[in-house]
Amino acid sequence: MLDALAETFAPPAEPPTVAADDPNGFWARSASEVGVGPRLAERLLEMLPPEDVDELGTLLDLLRRTGFTKLPQGGRERVLKALSAANPDARAGINGLRGLAMQLYYGAVDASGRNPNWDQLGYPGPPAIDPAPRELKGFVLGTASGTVQLEADVVVVGSGAGGGVIAGELATRGLDVVVLEAGGHHEAADFPADEMNALSELYWRGGLNLTTDGNVAILAGATLGGGSTINWQNCVRPPDHVRETWARDHGLDGVDGAAFDDHLDAVLERISATDDCTDLNGTNQRLADAADALGWGWSKAVRNTDPASYSPETAGHVGFGDRTGSKQGTLRTYLKDAEAHGARIVTRARVTRVLRTDGRATGVEAEVTLPTGDIVALRVDAPDVVVACGALETPALLLRSGIGGPAVGQHLRLHPVPMITALYDEDLRSWWGPPQATIVTEHRGAVEGHGYLIETAHLHPSITAAAVPWRSGRDHKLIMGRFSRLGTFIAVTRDHGAGTVTLDTRGEAEVHYPLEDRIDDQVRRHAVRSLIELHAAAGASVILDTHRDLALWRKGEDLEGYIARAQDAAEGADGRVLFSAHQMGSARMGTDPMTSVASPSGELHDVAGVWIGDTSAFPTAVGSNPMLTCMALARRTAHAILANADAAKVSAAP
């Protein structure tokens, strides 16, 4: 049945014109020729918990009863559309299968490291380079029996933009630090060159994951260095009005003034932030030109990049880990500092619980997967625990531990992203140069102080194929066959409403994000208009929405009518799926223990010695790429931990 589904999603198809030849075999190639069916089954069994496998079986049985495998292409497509319209659960399952099948059809590689469709797409694939060597040793547990026990001054759970900074700051000032990272130890020499394996090994739950309601597709890092290892490197200062709100309404004294500027500047210096390596590829240049034509303000992105090893040929692949070593994430900065000063870094360490006694942190318990595949229990005893697992896993750990108060998992912000793709008359080569080099800042306060940044997207075949609307097998191929001419603009919206993180029956994070907020709806409507207007101003020949039921716009047609239809189109599971690469706020700082989890310094209201050290601590959505803000807040929290440690030494002195 999976074979039949894959063949339906990616069938042989007639070329664009009857007389067209097929030199690359693309139009005649079916999913079975790329081995999509078996790969799809393997991925599903790897990714899905048992109850979801049962639900998949129910869907496949339902399709079997329709005689699906014996139907022609048109009949199969009608069955899938009818089931999707009749049953929301079936629609979610079909959409999930289609997205993964499309990723495999365009992203799975053979022994030579290439996908047979790439020649038609004009996609060169990842460049061959000599990767930079490893710089971190890591700390390997040498036993597979019993419980390993370690002691430290501080245990930091997570190694990304928050945890990595805190570990580096504390270790360089003499504290004994243990870092526990749930992901694997991947550095430049270890990063997979291809998209599919990189998604599987470096991303949370293997790549794109829908919220439980199907409204938002989430991408998040899950490897050593966290999001700073796989993000697109934009170092954007937090807006002044957001900093003022955090100080005034949430008690974060100093974040609106020079003290926090010092943290921002220190981070920017340590991570080598610069705009000297911000080349504009075809899509970024089109965005800049369109903004100029419309009279909208924009700027070149500042990025954490070492100019000595930067190359535009490889810069577009940084979302899969930077094999050149040019990206200056925590792997090559703060974690390097931490290990140089004695910190022990343990990877594949899933922390199950924060330990406490009499309202005070005493350490953590974890399960560590050894290189042999064996799992060993680990206990780290420490008077201070920094929880920095990311805004999806930090609240899950707090909930499993029974700490943090009623606000744990509440106030989740996702910067939901509507995206609009367009087809241009020439190659844009969106995989060349930095993924995001142009930032349109015109609409930051579009609706009641909330708005959005407009940027470009990381364009590679696998995720693009999952995001491009599928109306039929041939229609999808007609779009993907012109891949090199596609350009995507996205709007990073600052959400006013919020979602939640809860625990499922297995004690794992479950993400919910309803699309109910009035201001957010207005912001996204405003953003959809802006994205379409920019493509039109940039000279796009065809504009396509990610909403599957919305017709294409072609140059010369009624643009205002198309904009109106796009603005009125349903969003989320019922229409235009939104995307999120930024998660924040789910264990936020503030003064009220009923509406916040941690104090303005980052320490939990209800358990002394437990600190929130990542984007979970953001009181609200920040409205800009969050890495820089996260790192600066983490540095601020690290200094609060140091101040507490110094005070404890003074009080303990005779």
Side-chain angles (χ1 to χ4, degrees):
M1 184 60 70
L2 291 174
D3 273 331
L5 280 166
E7 288 283 298
T8 307
F9 298 143
E14 288 291 329
T17 60
V18 175
D21 57 10
D22 190 12
N24 300 311
F26 174 72
W27 302 104
R29 186 174 298 116
S30 66
S32 62
E33 294 177 61
V34 189
V36 173
R39 285 171 160 153
L40 185 58
E42 182 181 357
R43 277 298 181 99
L44 290 168
L45 291 174
E46 285 177 355
M47 294 167 56
L48 297 179
E51 58 268 29
D52 288 350
V53 173
D54 291 341
E55 291 181 10
L56 172 61
T58 300
L59 174 60
L60 298 183
D61 284 342
L62 181 60
L63 287 169
R64 178 180 55 82
R65 289 196 291 273
T66 70
F68 187 82
T69 58
K70 299 178 182 178
L71 294 173
Q73 177 71 18
R76 291 179 181 181
E77 291 179 358
R78 286 190 292 273
V79 166
L80 293 178
K81 290 176 181 177
L83 275 177
S84 296
N87 187 307
D89 290 336
R91 179 181 63 220
I94 291 167
N95 288 344
L97 289 170
R98 180 166 50 227
L100 184 54
M102 292 293 92
Q103 285 185 286
L104 290 165
Y105 183 67
Y106 289 98
V109 296
D110 57 22
S112 70
R114 289 191 60 79
N115 179 288
N117 294 309
W118 289 354
D119 288 337
Q120 172 68 31
L121 273 56
Y123 178 67
I129 63 169
D130 292 325
R134 272 195 176 198
E135 294 194 338
L136 299 174
K137 296 178 181 178
F139 184 80
V140 179
L141 305 181
T143 180
S145 61
T147 298
V148 177
Q149 290 188 276
L150 301 176
E151 293 184 358
D153 295 325
V154 182
V155 56
V156 180
V157 185
S159 62
V165 169
I166 291 176
E169 290 288 321
L170 299 183
T172 55
R173 286 162 175 79
L175 295 188
D176 183 13
V177 176
V178 169
V179 178
L180 302 180
E181 166 57 52
H185 184 160
H186 297 91
E187 296 188 51
D190 315 303
F191 293 136
D194 69 281
E195 191 178 356
M196 287 303 297
N197 282 312
L199 289 169
S200 176
E201 295 182 28
L202 306 179
Y203 282 76
W204 186 67
R205 297 181 181 175
L208 281 170
N209 286 271
L210 285 172
T211 54
T212 56
D213 41 41
N215 288 331
V216 184
I218 291 174
L219 280 173
T223 185
L224 189 61
S228 77
T229 297
I230 51 84
N231 70 11
W232 301 347
Q233 297 180 265
N234 279 5
C235 300
V236 185
R237 286 181 176 269
D240 289 342
H241 73 276
V242 173
R243 293 172 60 179
E244 291 164 3
T245 298
W246 289 3
R248 181 186 65 245
D249 298 344
H250 300 274
L252 276 65
D253 292 340
V255 299
D256 56 344
F260 196 64
D261 286 335
D262 290 344
H263 290 299
L264 290 166
D265 292 340
V267 168
L268 288 167
E269 181 178 2
R270 181 64 189 94
I271 64 175
S272 304
T274 178
D275 64 0
D276 290 342
C277 302
T278 305
D279 295 295
L280 273 60
N281 60 25
T283 303
N284 279 282
Q285 188 62 59
R286 288 284 186 171
L287 178 57
D289 292 344
D292 284 340
L294 295 173
W296 295 354
W298 67 276
S299 62
K300 286 179 65 176
V302 174
R303 303 169 59 252
N304 53 318
T305 303
D306 176 10
S309 51
Y310 165 78
S311 166
E313 299 296 333
T314 60
H317 296 260
V318 294
F320 314 133
D322 181 9
R323 292 182 295 142
T324 68
S326 179
K327 177 190 281 189
Q328 298 298 290
T330 59
L331 272 179
R332 301 183 75 83
T333 56
Y334 287 97
L335 289 174
K336 185 178 173 182
D337 297 342
E339 192 173 71
H341 288 83
R344 290 162 284 176
I345 301 173
V346 183
T347 53
R348 302 200 184 280
R350 179 183 179 273
V351 176
T352 55
R353 191 161 63 106
V354 176
L355 304 175
R356 67 193 190 280
T357 300
D358 297 329
R360 174 81 209 185
T362 59
V364 300
E365 290 179 342
E367 297 172 342
V368 181
T369 302
L370 301 178
T372 61
D374 295 319
I375 297 176
V376 62
L378 171 66
R379 176 184 174 118
V380 181
D381 294 322
D384 283 290
V385 176
V386 176
V387 183
C389 321
L392 306 178
E393 291 293 348
T394 281
L397 175 55
L398 296 176
L399 289 168
R400 287 196 299 269
S401 305
I403 60 177
V408 172
Q410 305 298 307
H411 311 293
L412 173 71
R413 268 57 182 234
L414 296 180
H415 281 174
V417 168
M419 78 178 196
I420 301 290
T421 297
L423 182 67
Y424 288 82
D425 291 334
E426 68 282 335
D427 287 350
L428 300 181
R429 299 181 69 236
S430 296
W431 54 83
W432 181 92
Q436 295 177 332
T438 302
I439 305 175
V440 177
T441 56
E442 184 72 18
H443 303 298
R444 272 189 146 168
V447 181
E448 298 182 32
H450 286 256
Y452 51 94
L453 298 176
I454 296 176
E455 301 171 340
T456 57
H458 198 229
L459 205 63
H460 293 273
S462 176
I463 291 181
T464 302
V468 162
W470 189 96
R471 299 175 180 88
S472 71
R474 183 173 186 269
D475 180 86
H476 194 275
K477 271 198 164 182
L478 287 171
I479 296 171
M480 287 300 296
R482 298 166 170 86
F483 175 76
S484 65
R485 293 161 51 194
L486 293 176
T488 297
F489 299 161
I490 65 174
V492 179
T493 66
R494 179 174 179 250
D495 34 345
H496 176 264
T500 58
V501 178
T502 60
L503 294 180
D504 64 14
T505 56
R506 298 170 295 122
E508 300 295 341
E510 193 170 74
V511 185
H512 313 261
Y513 197 88
L515 301 176
E516 300 171 343
D517 189 86
R518 175 188 62 83
I519 291 176
D520 290 344
D521 179 67
Q522 292 180 13
V523 168
R524 291 192 298 271
R525 287 179 64 87
H526 195 288
V528 166
R529 167 176 284 278
S530 295
L531 294 172
I532 294 172
E533 288 178 338
L534 282 163
H535 275 304
S541 56
V542 177
I543 298 176
L544 52 130
D545 197 318
T546 53
H547 193 295
R548 278 181 287 276
D549 298 330
L550 196 64
L552 308 178
W553 174 86
R554 293 172 175 82
K555 186 181 291 187
E557 295 179 346
D558 177 14
L559 185 65
E560 278 299 319
Y562 181 77
I563 290 172
R565 291 191 297 274
Q567 288 181 312
D568 291 341
E571 291 184 314
D574 295 327
R576 179 188 300 116
V577 175
L578 304 170
F579 294 84
S580 168
H582 306 159
Q583 302 88 38
M584 67 212 87
S586 53
R588 66 180 183 172
M589 295 191 289
T591 56
D592 184 353
M594 298 304 294
T595 61
S596 62
V597 172
S599 72
S601 65
E603 189 173 25
L604 257 59
H605 292 300
D606 62 347
V607 181
V610 179
W611 306 78
I612 304 301
D614 57 21
T615 56
S616 305
F618 288 15
T620 68
V622 67
S624 59
N625 302 63
M627 178 182 69
L628 175 59
T629 304
C630 177
M631 297 178 96
L633 271 183
R635 190 175 188 272
R636 177 179 179 271
T637 296
H639 288 203
I641 295 171
L642 289 165
N644 273 17
D646 290 342
K649 289 178 183 178
V650 170
S651 63

